[in-house]
Amino acid sequence: YVSTENRLVVVKTIDGSLIRGNINLNSESIPMDRVSDLLIKGQNKFLIMYNATIDSVKDSAVIINKSQIVWVMEEKESQAKGNM
């Protein structure tokens, strides 16, 4: 059993795409406490997002190469209910 510590984030990639979705902070062998820990200390070269929205595609799983990420912003649950 792997516990999930989910965070809703927006990711901007180097091609200008904005991807909004959830990530699991415990997706690595060592659980993380913060989104920045997952991006910086995580051993996996890819960030896996689920329930993701990119352009007109919704509720998808997206795997992003971390080297293609410009920035990541965590959203609060109150912001999550609005549109991106």
Side-chain angles (χ1 to χ4, degrees), residues 18-21 49-62 80-84:
L18 288 175
I19 306 163
R20 181 175 179 226
M49 298 179 70
Y50 58 95
N51 296 332
T53 300
I54 180 171
D55 297 325
S56 62
V57 179
K58 298 180 186 226
D59 297 324
S60 295
V62 178
K81 295 183 185 343
N83 290 332
M84 185 167 76

Side-chain angles (χ1 to χ4, degrees), residues 65-81:
N65 189 316
K66 288 180 183 177
S67 69
Q68 301 299 303
I69 295 174
V70 175
W71 54 258
V72 175
M73 178 178 64
E74 186 173 351
E75 289 194 320
K76 303 289 184 223
E77 287 302 316
S78 61
Q79 294 173 329
K81 295 183 185 343

Side-chain angles (χ1 to χ4, degrees), residues 7-79:
R7 295 289 191 273
L8 179 62
V9 297
V10 177
V11 174
K12 183 172 185 174
T13 60
I14 61 172
D15 71 354
S17 297
L18 288 175
I19 306 163
R20 181 175 179 226
N22 292 293
I23 58 171
N24 178 5
L25 294 182
N26 294 332
S27 61
E28 295 275 341
S29 57
I30 300 172
M32 307 290 175
D33 294 323
R34 301 178 300 184
V35 173
S36 60
D37 290 341
L38 181 65
L39 294 169
I40 296 168
K41 297 177 184 177
Q43 299 297 309
N44 194 337
K45 293 181 182 182
F46 297 91
L47 180 67
I48 301 169
M49 298 179 70
Y50 58 95
N51 296 332
T53 300
I54 180 171
D55 297 325
S56 62
V57 179
K58 298 180 186 226
D59 297 324
S60 295
V62 178
I63 302 170
I64 305 165
N65 189 316
K66 288 180 183 177
S67 69
Q68 301 299 303
I69 295 174
V70 175
W71 54 258
V72 175
M73 178 178 64
E74 186 173 351
E75 289 194 320
K76 303 289 184 223
E77 287 302 316
S78 61
Q79 294 173 329

